[in-house]
Amino acid sequence: MSEKFGVKVEDIFNTMQERFRPEGAAGVDASFGYDIPGRGKWRLTVKDGTMKIEQADDLSGCVAVTRADPDTFVGVNIGKVDGTAAFTSGKISVEGDVGAVSTTFKLFKRFTPPKKELTVGEYILDMFGTLESRFQPQAAEGLDITIGYDIGGREGGRWTARIKDGKCTVKEGLALSPNLTMIVKAKDWVDLMLGEVDAMTLLSTGRAKVEGDMNLAVKLGELFAKYKAPGEEAEEGQQLLVLKKVISVGQRFATGPVMGKYLNGLKEKKILANKCPECGRTQVPPREICALCRVRCEEWVEVGPKGNVRLVDTAYYASPDPLSGETRETPYGLCYILLDGCKGQEVFAHFIRDDQLERIEMGWNEKKGTIVRPVWAEKRTGRVSDIKYFEIDE
Amino acid sequence: MKDGFDTTDCFVVEGKLALPYSYFAGRVGSKFLTTIRDEKRIMGIKCDKCKKVFVPPRQTCDVCMEDIRDNWVDVQNTGEVTNFTVVRYNDKHLPKKAPYILAMIKLDGADTSLVHVVEGMDVGKAKIGMKVQAVFARETTSTILDIDHFAPVS
């Protein structure tokens, strides 16, 4: 297996027969050898518009023997590595009649890797494996720069692309002080490269960060040709365009005196409720009028901060956060908490700490649920998110 | 409660509402845009019946109701301004900095007008009937802005 491109050397040889073009073989009568160190040797015999490919230990009698490492050999065959460049740089060598080898190029249709769904990790490897070959030297004239890629997440990694004298070399690891560093999660990077999401969306929602020379970041699109997934370049048919954007609409929320007092209380780590003068129930968050008695509630009490859980909802589908357009990770837990000082149905809804979701027990009637306490945000600005979430009080 | 209620605790939360959306250009629209992007060439669709050439292209002729989606024809990169306005305010969804000319441009070889930006001239000097030419974008985005703008032809 050529790790880099996900295609086996054997696949190239095994599909030669079906990729054979008799019209390209007119007038060719010769044997060609292939020596792929670590993988084996093959002999291709072409005669009278037919061909035969076989594994062979002895390549004597071939007009030319092509030698290449598995990655380069596969890369050239699937069109990911430029054959001429590989030849001039010595990654491919030919023993014998170099001119004869060029006749073999016309013999076969391009190898198309079977299309399969790649995992994020496989995409990441392929994307950085092909970065050098996608480099556009004409756009890099006079450039002497280092670009760092800090791809986060379990399937991520770190790479550095060095561009100098119209050449690009990609190495694993992050250079000390790159001119430009891109910091993004693996999944987002794959989506970006596949055109599923645009850079502006990632940057504006904070899912991607660029450190260093922003002008250079804008130029990246010119420095590297667009990434194509394995098998995509040979696919027939037209490209269909979908424009994906996030529209951002400014909005203002006037709290009014009651919600304002409640939100200001959160700033001071206080959960305030108001109490109905008729039925005595508390409302949190407070409303100006008791929803049952239809009378104005003007008495304030501090409740909580601890409480017991009455109900937990586990959300497996999250709609995008209206403030960022970002979709939170699922599953997450939404719990209804009866804060100390509240009774009956006077529950307060908030998030539960993700990793404790399974340990929460619900209460009913006289039975108490798990006791939880709020975890406050360090910087509180008078929003419900001043409480980050609730966690088990232990 | 009195008219002037206690406003001590009132405040305003400034936020923004993010609306993710996707727009599918369709088969006809995609081909129109990818040809501009990859070949720097503008194509229209011609109705065989009424001989009208649509730019931007459409899959049905609005006069004959014929399916015309495969009748691609080339049109010129040059054309004539059939109408225009000057955009004088800035907003983040707008493609250019104000003031700029937003014009309807009938390309040579087309019968309908394409809405696009005219740059490279004083906005006060725009005239109906003036000749313009497409200037293609260096960095492409797979949108109609792969024609960066139209510039006047002297």
Side-chain angles (χ1 to χ4, degrees):
Chain A
M1 188 85 162
S2 160
E3 292 287 324
K4 208 163 162 182
F5 301 111
V7 173
K8 287 182 195 153
V9 171
E10 290 78 3
D11 292 341
I12 306 286
F13 290 112
N14 292 342
T15 54
M16 271 184 169
Q17 192 71 57
E18 60 203 64
R19 292 187 289 119
F20 184 61
R21 298 168 60 246
E23 63 272 27
V28 183
D29 180 1
S31 290
F32 305 90
Y34 297 91
D35 181 2
I36 316 298
R39 295 295 186 278
K41 294 175 182 175
W42 281 264
R43 177 197 290 268
L44 169 70
T45 313
V46 182
K47 196 176 181 178
D48 301 331
T50 61
M51 63 146 278
K52 199 171 105 189
I53 182 84
E54 59 196 334
Q55 270 202 290
D57 293 331
D58 178 22
L59 294 178
S60 61
C62 292
V63 288
V65 174
T66 305
R67 184 171 292 114
D69 65 272
D71 278 345
T72 307
F73 180 75
V74 168
V76 170
N77 271 281
I78 65 175
K80 286 277 169 100
V81 172
D82 179 36
T84 316
F87 184 71
T88 48
S89 69
K91 285 190 165 177
I92 292 182
S93 61
V94 174
E95 247 173 63
D97 186 352
V98 177
V101 172
S102 64
T103 64
T104 63
F105 302 154
K106 289 182 292 184
L107 294 176
F108 305 101
K109 286 188 221 123
R110 161 79 58 85
F111 177 84
T112 318
K115 205 166 163 57
K116 59 161 187 164
E117 282 291 307
L118 298 187
T119 64
V120 171
E122 286 167 334
Y123 266 126
I124 292 285
L125 285 182
D126 192 51
M127 282 166 179
F128 287 98
T130 56
L131 194 59
E132 277 181 22
S133 60
R134 288 186 285 123
F135 178 62
Q136 306 286 306
Q138 69 278 4
E141 219 169 284
L143 277 187
D144 180 358
I145 52 165
T146 309
I147 305 167
Y149 299 87
D150 189 348
I151 311 295
R154 192 163 44 86
E155 289 163 307
R158 290 168 162 191
W159 285 267
T160 301
R162 178 94 183 89
I163 295 173
K164 197 186 176 184
D165 302 331
K167 283 201 186 84
C168 172
T169 41
V170 177
K171 279 191 182 136
E172 274 195 59
L174 218 48
L176 265 184
S177 48
N179 305 70
L180 176 74
T181 309
M182 264 156 306
I183 304 159
V184 60
K185 274 194 192 156
K187 174 77 173 74
D188 285 334
W189 179 256
V190 168
D191 284 348
L192 176 67
M193 290 291 104
L194 296 178
E196 302 277 327
V197 62
D198 65 291
M200 277 321 292
T201 303
L202 287 183
L203 290 171
S204 65
T205 57
R207 281 151 71 190
K209 243 174 46 187
V210 175
E211 284 175 0
D213 188 350
M214 275 306 287
N215 294 329
L216 210 53
V218 176
K219 216 175 171 311
L220 276 186
E222 292 171 36
L223 285 177
F224 297 100
K226 193 178 171 327
Y227 172 77
K228 287 188 173 131
E232 195 180 284
E233 50 287 75
E235 208 171 84
E236 301 242 338
Q238 72 169 122
Q239 184 193 359
L240 297 175
L241 299 177
V242 178
L243 183 70
K244 290 197 175 178
K245 289 263 176 198
V246 176
I247 313 177
S248 178
V249 183
Q251 67 166 19
R252 311 175 82 226
F253 167 66
T255 63
V258 174
M259 189 59 85
K261 184 163 178 153
Y262 163 74
L263 292 174
N264 279 326
L266 293 179
K267 279 193 209 169
E268 286 149 33
K269 296 195 186 180
K270 281 183 186 163
I271 306 177
L272 297 175
N274 61 2
K275 202 164 185 173
C276 171
E278 288 198 7
C279 66
R281 72 186 199 110
T282 56
Q283 302 188 106
V284 57
R287 277 138 285 178
E288 287 186 38
I289 305 291
C290 169
L292 298 180
C293 308
R294 313 281 161 159
V295 293
R296 196 170 290 281
C297 308
E298 286 175 324
E299 188 193 338
W300 287 83
V301 287
E302 190 184 339
V303 294
K306 292 179 189 175
N308 82 90
V309 176
R310 308 303 287 178
L311 183 74
V312 182
D313 277 342
T314 306
Y316 291 99
Y317 174 80
S319 19
D321 181 342
L323 297 182
S324 65
E326 202 174 348
T327 306
R328 63 184 293 138
E329 273 183 37
T330 53
Y332 66 88
L334 187 67
C335 61
Y336 295 85
I337 301 157
L338 191 63
L339 295 170
D340 293 349
C342 301
K343 55 185 188 302
Q345 313 296 315
E346 300 157 13
V347 290
F348 174 70
H350 216 291
F351 297 126
I352 194 78
R353 211 172 96 182
D354 286 346
D355 59 327
Q356 295 187 334
L357 188 50
E358 293 184 354
R359 289 172 51 204
I360 300 290
E361 282 182 29
M362 295 189 268
W364 64 87
N365 293 342
E366 299 308 311
K367 185 189 177 334
K368 278 200 169 183
T370 308
I371 308 286
V372 291
R373 61 177 176 224
V375 175
W376 297 92
E378 252 173 49
K379 237 179 110 184
R380 293 178 301 281
T381 53
R383 293 178 182 224
V384 183
S385 53
D386 285 354
I387 299 175
K388 281 157 67 181
Y389 45 76
F390 278 77
E391 65 178 7
I392 297 174
D393 185 40
E394 52 190 1
Chain B
M1 182 165 279
K2 301 178 294 287
D3 261 5
F5 57 82
D6 183 7
T7 57
T8 331
D9 280 317
C10 295
F11 66 102
V12 170
V13 180
E14 299 278 352
K16 61 180 180 163
L17 192 64
L19 303 171
Y21 77 97
S22 45
Y23 166 76
F24 176 41
R27 288 187 187 284
V28 166
S30 294
K31 180 164 177 174
F32 176 62
L33 293 173
T34 51
T35 313
I36 290 171
R37 180 191 68 191
D38 301 337
E39 299 171 33
K40 316 282 178 220
R41 193 154 61 86
I42 306 173
M43 290 173 97
I45 287 186
K46 185 175 187 173
C47 173
D48 280 341
K49 211 164 170 189
C50 67
K51 310 293 178 206
K52 215 165 147 182
V53 175
F54 294 91
V55 178
R58 44 176 59 207
Q59 70 180 41
T60 308
C61 172
D62 63 357
V63 182
C64 314
M65 301 308 280
E66 293 283 304
D67 187 333
I68 55 174
R69 67 184 77 184
D70 295 323
N71 307 346
W72 289 94
V73 291
D74 279 350
V75 297
Q76 300 294 310
N77 292 347
T78 52
E80 191 185 304
V81 171
T82 57
N83 211 333
F84 70 91
T85 187
V86 177
V87 178
R88 294 193 185 272
Y89 73 102
N90 283 314
D91 202 339
K92 53 189 167 194
H93 71 272
L94 295 174
K96 304 277 175 185
K97 260 216 150 85
Y100 65 88
I101 304 163
L102 192 65
M104 294 180 66
I105 298 157
K106 193 157 92 179
L107 293 172
D108 297 331
D111 294 295
T112 60
S113 297
L114 173 77
V115 177
H116 217 293
V117 173
V118 175
E119 278 188 339
M121 65 181 295
D122 185 347
V123 293
K125 297 215 169 112
K127 280 205 170 54
I128 290 177
M130 68 179 181
K131 291 276 178 202
V132 290
Q133 180 170 21
V135 177
F136 293 95
R138 273 191 66 206
E139 199 166 328
T140 59
T141 52
S142 302
T143 67
I144 191 61
L145 289 173
D146 286 353
I147 301 174
D148 187 74
H149 63 275
F150 282 81
V153 182
S154 46

